[in-house]
Amino acid sequence: MRSRPLAGLLALFAVVALAACDDSIAPDDDLAFKQVRPADYPPPTPLVPIDGDQFWPYTGSDFSGTPQDPINVVFLGAVDPRDLRAALLALPGDRSGLVGTPFEPLALFDCEWEDALGGDVQTSYGQSAGWVGSAIQLQCGAYDPLRFHLRFFDIGGATIAGAHFEFLIPGTSDHQVLGWELAELFVVADFFRTGLLGAPPGTTSPINDEPTFREIPAVIWGLLGQEAPDLQALALASGAQMLANGNYGIGTDGEATILTLAGNVPGQREIARQEFTVNFDQVIPKPFCQATPFDLLYATGPVELRQQVVVTPSGNYHSQFRALGTLSLLPLAPDPATGELVPTGAPYKAHVAQHSTSHVSDNVTMVSQFVLQIELPPAGPFRGSLRSQINVGPGNASHGALTVRCDP
C-alpha cells in the first residue's frame, strides 16, 4: 500500500484534462450568488426501504439529487457513526486472520483506519432525517497514493455508507475511483474482524445503477496496465468493463451489504492531526471562465492540507480541515496544426482554499464546506473567481451557495 506505481500518469494526464473540459464553467455563466436550500428541491429519487424507513441509495455533492457515489453498506443496530469509527480505528492493520475465510484475498492489505484527509463533503437523504451530510469520513491507506475511503451518513434508525477504493492522480489533488465492490467487501471484512456483528451479513435488492457506475478514463486505464497491472486486476475483479466510448465502467452489482451490529466500541478521548502537501505539477482543465472548450492550465505549486479531529471526554466529535495554496498557472491550448499544447498567454497566479468542519454529538450532526478559487489579478480577459459553500444540518441550517464571476 505504500508504493507509488503510477508516476507515469503525469505525462498523459493532459488527455484526461481535454476530456473533462465540458464540466468547466464558461465566461457567460455568471452565477453571482446562487443560493439553494433543501426545500427548493423535492426529495431525491428513488428512495428504497430499510428497516421501516427509506433512504436515497446514492451520495451527492449538493441537494439536487444528482448521484455522486453509490451507497453500498447499510448498518443496523448499534449504528452511531462515532461508534462505527471507533470500531474500525481499534483494528490492527494485520489482516492475516482473514486467511481461511471468504475474505482471504484482503489479507494482503495492511493499512490501518484513520480519519480521511481532505474528503469533500457529500450529502445523502433519509425519509425520516431529511438531508444528511458526511460528518465522519475514514480512510485505510494514505491520501497518496492508494486508499479505501468510507463516508458515513446517519439517517436516524440506520447509518448508510459509501465506500470506494481510489488512488491520487499524480500532480493533482484529485482521486480516481477504481472500485466500489472491493471497498464494500473490505469494509464488511473489517467489521467481521471487530466481532461486533450480531447476524451474518445480508444484502439489499439492487438499489443503484449496475453493472457499472461512473468511469475510469481510457488513458488512466492504459497507464494502469503499464505501470500498475495489479491495480488494473483489482478493478477487473471488482467488475470493471470496457464501455463503448473506450473508458472503463467501474463495476458494481447495484446491491448494498447490510451489517447488523450487536455491540459497539465507544470512542476514546483523542486529538488527531494530519498534514500533507500536494505539489501540483499537471495540466488541468480551466475550471471556470473559459474562453473556449479547449482552455487548459499548467498548474504548479504546493497546496498545504491540514486536518484536526477532536473527540471530547463526553464523546462529541469535531473535525476541521483546511487546504491553502497559491498556484502558478500557464494558459495552454492545443495547436490546431499539430495538436501539441502551446502557451496562449502569460503566466499568472491563483489562490485556492478549502475549509470543512463537522460536528457530531448525541443531539445534532452538522457539516459544512467552503471552497474559494480566485485568479490573480481577478480582473482581465476570462479571469474570475469561484466561491461555493454547503452546510448540512437540522432544520433551516442546510443550504448551498455558488458564486462564479468572470471578466469577459
Side-chain angles (χ1 to χ4, degrees):
M1 293 288 290
R2 305 189 189 285
S3 61
R4 181 163 190 166
L6 300 164
L9 288 171
L10 183 61
L12 293 183
F13 188 62
V15 180
V16 181
L18 282 170
C21 282
D22 289 344
D23 293 330
S24 299
I25 300 174
D28 58 349
D29 291 332
D30 189 347
L31 302 178
F33 200 71
K34 177 183 178 183
Q35 179 165 312
V36 297
R37 293 187 179 274
D40 296 330
Y41 290 105
T45 57
L47 297 181
V48 298
I50 187 69
D51 201 34
D53 202 349
Q54 297 188 74
F55 71 94
W56 186 41
Y58 296 97
T59 75
S61 57
D62 51 30
F63 306 114
S64 68
T66 302
Q68 181 72 22
D69 295 345
I71 294 295
N72 51 10
V73 186
V74 176
F75 297 91
L76 302 177
V79 296
D80 188 310
R82 293 171 294 174
D83 294 342
L84 299 178
R85 170 186 179 271
L88 290 179
L89 265 61
L91 292 175
D94 181 5
R95 291 177 175 78
S96 58
L98 295 177
V99 175
T101 75
F103 309 113
E104 182 170 347
L106 299 175
L108 62 91
F109 294 98
D110 63 356
C111 61
E112 295 183 0
W113 289 97
E114 61 183 348
D115 295 288
L117 179 65
D120 286 340
V121 167
Q122 290 191 353
T123 59
S124 196
Y125 186 90
Q127 187 176 50
S128 299
W131 288 98
V132 292
S134 54
I136 294 181
Q137 303 184 44
L138 302 180
Q139 66 183 25
C140 195
Y143 181 89
D144 178 18
L146 301 167
R147 69 178 181 180
F148 293 92
H149 188 179
L150 176 63
R151 290 181 172 95
F152 293 118
F153 301 86
D154 185 352
I155 60 170
T159 288
I160 58 178
H164 56 273
F165 181 60
E166 64 184 7
F167 72 87
L168 183 69
I169 299 173
T172 77
S173 60
D174 294 328
H175 287 87
Q176 170 64 56
V177 175
L178 292 176
W180 314 114
E181 294 295 314
L182 179 66
E184 178 182 345
L185 186 64
F186 189 80
V187 171
V188 173
D190 270 7
F191 273 96
F192 170 80
R193 291 203 297 140
T194 68
L196 297 174
L197 296 183
T203 59
T204 67
S205 60
I207 59 174
N208 37 52
D209 288 354
E210 50 87 21
T212 65
F213 183 76
R214 289 178 45 185
E215 301 176 8
I216 303 171
V219 63
I220 290 183
W221 184 262
L223 263 295
L224 285 174
Q226 297 174 24
E227 304 290 337
D230 54 337
L231 294 185
Q232 193 182 72
L234 283 174
L236 288 170
S238 290
Q241 53 187 273
M242 187 175 181
L243 305 176
N245 61 6
N247 296 341
Y248 272 74
I250 304 170
T252 172
D253 60 12
E255 300 175 351
T257 298
I258 301 174
L259 297 179
T260 302
L261 276 66
N264 59 19
V265 175
Q268 302 296 317
R269 176 181 179 180
E270 65 175 301
I271 299 177
R273 297 184 178 93
Q274 295 185 66
E275 295 186 5
F276 185 78
T277 300
V278 176
N279 289 300
F280 272 76
D281 185 12
Q282 189 57 270
V283 177
I284 62 173
K286 195 174 192 301
F288 52 88
C289 301
Q290 286 184 300
T292 76
F294 300 103
D295 284 356
L296 303 171
L297 297 170
Y298 179 48
T300 57
V303 176
E304 303 289 338
L305 312 182
R306 295 184 178 181
Q307 180 168 279
Q308 176 173 284
V309 173
V310 176
V311 179
T312 69
S314 60
N316 292 338
Y317 172 95
H318 307 274
S319 175
Q320 182 168 247
F321 167 77
R322 295 180 185 272
L324 188 65
T326 299
L327 300 178
S328 297
L329 304 177
L330 176 63
L332 299 173
D335 183 284
T338 65
E340 294 183 0
L341 297 181
V342 296
T344 59
Y348 63 99
K349 301 287 187 180
H351 178 74
V352 295
Q354 179 175 327
H355 181 210
S356 304
T357 62
S358 64
H359 170 80
V360 183
S361 69
D362 292 340
N363 301 314
V364 67
T365 296
M366 300 187 70
V367 60
S368 67
Q369 177 174 285
F370 173 77
V371 175
L372 169 68
Q373 300 177 21
I374 182 167
E375 296 177 302
L376 305 172
F382 308 112
R383 298 284 181 87
S385 63
L386 179 149
R387 293 174 174 85
S388 69
Q389 182 175 0
I390 185 168
N391 295 333
V392 190
N396 290 324
S398 295
H399 72 276
L402 174 65
T403 306
V404 178
R405 300 188 183 279
C406 299
D407 191 354

